[in-house]
Amino acid sequence: MLVKLKKTLPSFWAKFNLGERKKETALIKSWDNSISKAIGGKFSGQSRILVFEKDLVVIECLNSVWAQEFKFREKKIIQWINQYFGKNKISRIKFVW
């Protein structure tokens, strides 16, 4: 039995949550540009997203000083990420260096 790809693809994407993963990947790739728009240009190039895990995002910072600067803006970053995804995806951020 042949099934049209057009019919099966949406359920495949939903089953493996690929739409969400695609948005995560896009944010990871555009992080420098995105974070500067969200909290200021001086933050560009100082961090990168390592992983999304349930309601947590892990962000690697250049050093402990930058990690602290990002920590001060954690609530704003969470709001911005949730706005990007259009839902309350993130409730915690872990900053590492």
Side-chain angles (χ1 to χ4, degrees), residues 29-42:
K29 287 181 178 181
S30 68
W31 179 249
D32 275 345
N33 188 40
S34 299
I35 198 65
S36 19
K37 288 179 182 175
I39 60 172
K42 72 178 184 177

Side-chain angles (χ1 to χ4, degrees), residues 8-70:
T8 60
L9 207 50
S11 62
F12 176 81
W13 276 67
K15 181 178 179 181
F16 294 102
N17 205 14
L18 294 179
E20 186 93 356
R21 297 289 178 226
K22 186 176 179 181
K23 282 192 103 169
E24 289 174 1
T25 302
L27 183 57
I28 289 169
K29 287 181 178 181
S30 68
W31 179 249
D32 275 345
N33 188 40
S34 299
I35 198 65
S36 19
K37 288 179 182 175
I39 60 172
K42 72 178 184 177
F43 291 89
S44 180
Q46 308 306 324
S47 67
R48 68 184 177 118
I49 295 175
L50 292 181
V51 68
F52 285 94
E53 191 173 287
K54 296 182 183 177
D55 68 333
L56 170 73
V57 63
V58 179
I59 298 176
E60 181 182 39
C61 302
L62 189 61
N63 54 44
S64 62
V65 175
W66 279 108
Q68 186 175 14
E69 287 290 327
F70 278 94

Side-chain angles (χ1 to χ4, degrees), residues 35 39 55 57 59 73-85 87-93 95:
I35 198 65
I39 60 172
D55 68 333
V57 63
I59 298 176
R73 291 157 180 85
E74 181 175 17
K75 286 184 181 179
K76 189 171 184 178
I77 296 169
I78 288 171
Q79 289 173 343
W80 181 82
I81 290 173
N82 286 336
Q83 183 180 359
Y84 175 85
F85 283 99
K87 64 180 183 175
N88 289 332
K89 176 180 175 60
I90 300 299
S91 64
R92 304 177 295 138
I93 301 176
F95 298 100

